[in-house]
Amino acid sequence: MGGLAIFLEEAGLSTTSISLIRINTEKVAPPRALWVPFELGRPLGAPNDPDFQKRVVHDALALLDAEAGPVLVDFPDDAPATSSALSEDEMEGLVCLIAPPKLPDKNAPVSELGQPLVKEIGTLAPWYNLAVSKRGRTTVGPSGLKIAEAGKYLAAFLEDQATPAPRDDIPAGRALKLSYEDLKAYYGEAITVQPGFDGSGRVEDWLFNETVLGKVLWRLQDICAASDDEYYRYLSGKSIIPDRQVEKLG
């Protein structure tokens, strides 16, 4: 989007934008950009909070007052906690809280990840279905795969990067990206209907550090970073693990 903004400005149109990855925006240097410290996929912050979202939009539009750039301004606040979780009263009669299968060793062989991942996906299914019913929408689906198929493909890719993609109408790298993005969306939507997971930071910590999928994604990032394929290396630095999680390990 930053690159497109540059071309639009050259054509005489004033632009402003919202950035979720600051380092990318610094390199592209669009005419005007507001960097927000929110998780990927939420450029306006937490859902169901129109007042906060209006603040973000207002600050982005305010950058149009700058006649020349590049201008990069930091939004001053973190996103507030979401209000999408069920109350304790709403929880009555529902199934127990998620207890994903844990691997005994964080350094377990790749071959031991596939079966627990599929089991974990199944454990989350009632919560995901509840989330879709409650919200009337979902962001899962761009891969065109059933969620269990996406998980199996991801696990198979860890063992053998030559594993055929489950779709032959798009490049293998694109199929891989869509698969893990669908899985992250599935996990995120499922967990946020549970009490105690109403903050985006807590959801992110849970996904990447307390689930089998998190272990799979960390392994995937390492594999892609060491790949000879330029696109896989690009994915390792851009979209598999959020910068915030990587920085916590540093």
Side-chain angles (χ1 to χ4, degrees), residues 5-47:
I6 293 173
F7 287 109
L8 291 175
E9 291 272 342
E10 291 176 350
L13 298 174
S14 296
T15 64
T16 184
S17 56
I18 295 175
S19 165
L20 286 160
I21 305 177
R22 201 178 201 285
I23 189 171
N24 287 4
T25 306
E26 290 173 348
K27 292 179 178 179
V28 174
R32 302 166 199 82
L34 176 71
W35 176 77
V36 293
F38 312 148
E39 62 184 286
L40 294 179
R42 291 186 173 180
L44 300 182

Side-chain angles (χ1 to χ4, degrees), residues 57-99:
V57 172
H58 177 273
D59 283 13
L61 292 176
L63 299 181
L64 290 170
D65 291 337
E67 295 184 1
V71 175
L72 178 57
V73 175
D74 293 351
F75 188 75
D77 300 320
D78 290 330
T82 67
S83 57
S84 59
L86 297 177
S87 67
E88 293 294 339
D89 290 339
E90 290 176 301
M91 289 296 301
E92 186 175 355
L94 296 176
V95 295
C96 297
L97 296 178
I98 297 172

Side-chain angles (χ1 to χ4, degrees), residues 177-230:
K177 184 179 190 299
L178 292 176
S179 294
Y180 68 67
E181 293 293 0
D182 264 0
L183 283 161
K184 288 194 285 187
Y186 174 86
Y187 274 62
E189 292 179 21
I191 199 65
T192 51
V193 294
Q194 288 202 43
F197 285 89
D198 56 346
S200 60
R202 175 68 184 102
V203 171
E204 185 181 283
D205 287 341
W206 169 79
L207 195 160
F208 291 101
N209 302 301
E210 301 176 34
T211 68
V212 180
L213 176 61
K215 293 180 174 65
V216 168
L217 292 173
W218 282 105
R219 298 289 182 86
L220 179 64
Q221 172 147 297
D222 290 341
I223 288 172
C224 287
S227 174
D228 293 332
D229 187 290
E230 182 179 357

